[in-house]
Amino acid sequence: MSDVDQNKIIDGRAVAKKVEAEVKEGVEKLKSEKGITPGLATILVGDDPASKMYVRLKHKACDRVGIYAEDHPLPESTTQEELLDLISTLNAREDIHGILLQLPLPGQLNEQEAMNAIDPAKDADGFHPFNMGQLLIGIEELVPCTPKGVIRALEEYNIDIQGKHAVIVGHSNVVGKPMAAMLVNRNATVSVCHVFTKDTSQFTKEADILVVATGVKHLIKEDMVKEGAVIFDVGISEENGKVYGDVDFENVIKKAALVTPVPGGVGPMTISILMQHVLMAAQKTA
């Protein structure tokens, strides 16, 4: 990556640092003025190594910004009832302002039912149907963290969204759908592609802003992007111990105006937005 143009790289770590600095300041203010320390509870079911790593990174971020964090590890064999009981206990605790259920869950558990059980006011991930509905009508409070991180980066890099053609590849509830809503809220023209799209490249070639979230290694090649596009690579996959994004970074960067690397792009921004949400939730209780 040494010969790529560093000016074309969206530095997710730098954006995240800026967000974390704002959060830290807000946390200190809330502590000194109201005596409230924002608190995050994470729930991790089973022993998935990637999930464990993500939870660890979130706790480290809490340490950096002064948020109180506790983890609730549950065994792989946890029942739906046990999980819902824990969520109910955390909902009732005044010292916990944000609850994060680390996905994916083991097969016997109903993910959506568990997410729905989290108090919408403590939904740090922004996945509760109430918060998703708010997003659709233009009220962006607790919303999914990754798309909100993308929006923050667009703002930091002074990319005008209004009137631009934004293309999203991937239509998950975590990234694709909320990303589309946030871009529509800012008056972009939005196309959403997915596994059933007949010819994805005909859309990606037209994109001023391209967000890719599929988990398919190097799905987006140089000939699929427009000269001067701004590209966010949200996907991540692993092969022989090496991490890859959905975008063929080395070649696509030649045409793009700006592009996020993997790692060091969208990941850090996502975690910093999570910290922002825990603070927001705590401020609402003050």
Side-chain angles (χ1 to χ4, degrees), residues 193-206:
C193 303
H194 40 74
V195 70
F196 299 104
T197 301
K198 293 283 184 275
D199 178 8
T200 298
S201 68
Q202 84 179 62
F203 292 95
T204 59
K205 282 175 186 166
E206 296 297 314

Side-chain angles (χ1 to χ4, degrees), residues 42-106:
T42 54
I43 304 171
L44 176 62
V45 187
D47 293 312
D48 179 64
S51 291
K52 278 181 158 172
M53 181 191 72
Y54 289 134
V55 168
R56 217 168 33 244
L57 289 172
K58 288 162 186 175
H59 280 248
K60 279 183 176 167
C62 286
D63 286 344
R64 288 196 298 271
V65 299
I67 287 172
Y68 165 73
E70 59 183 41
D71 189 27
H72 293 266
L74 296 173
E76 187 83 26
S77 58
T78 297
T79 64
Q80 188 76 5
E81 193 181 355
E82 287 165 336
L83 177 58
L84 294 177
D85 279 350
L86 172 59
I87 290 170
S88 174
T89 302
L90 294 170
N91 279 340
R93 278 179 51 187
E94 284 187 11
D95 60 331
I96 294 297
H97 305 94
I99 300 170
L100 184 143
L101 178 60
Q102 186 62 46
L103 304 177
L105 296 177

Side-chain angles (χ1 to χ4, degrees), residues 210 225 273:
L210 178 62
V225 302
I273 298 293

Side-chain angles (χ1 to χ4, degrees), residues 41 43 83-84 86-88 90-91 97-103 111-131 142:
I43 304 171
L83 177 58
L84 294 177
L86 172 59
I87 290 170
S88 174
L90 294 170
N91 279 340
H97 305 94
I99 300 170
L100 184 143
L101 178 60
Q102 186 62 46
L103 304 177
E111 218 164 80
Q112 196 58 57
E113 187 189 18
M115 306 298 271
N116 292 1
I118 295 171
D119 178 348
K122 295 189 177 190
D123 170 32
D125 261 333
F127 295 151
H128 192 283
F130 174 81
N131 290 321
L142 298 179

Side-chain angles (χ1 to χ4, degrees), residues 153-162 164 209 230 258:
L154 285 164
E155 290 167 356
E156 289 294 330
Y157 281 81
N158 297 313
I159 308 297
D160 193 20
I161 301 173
Q162 186 161 301
K164 295 285 173 66
I209 298 167
V230 176
L258 288 166

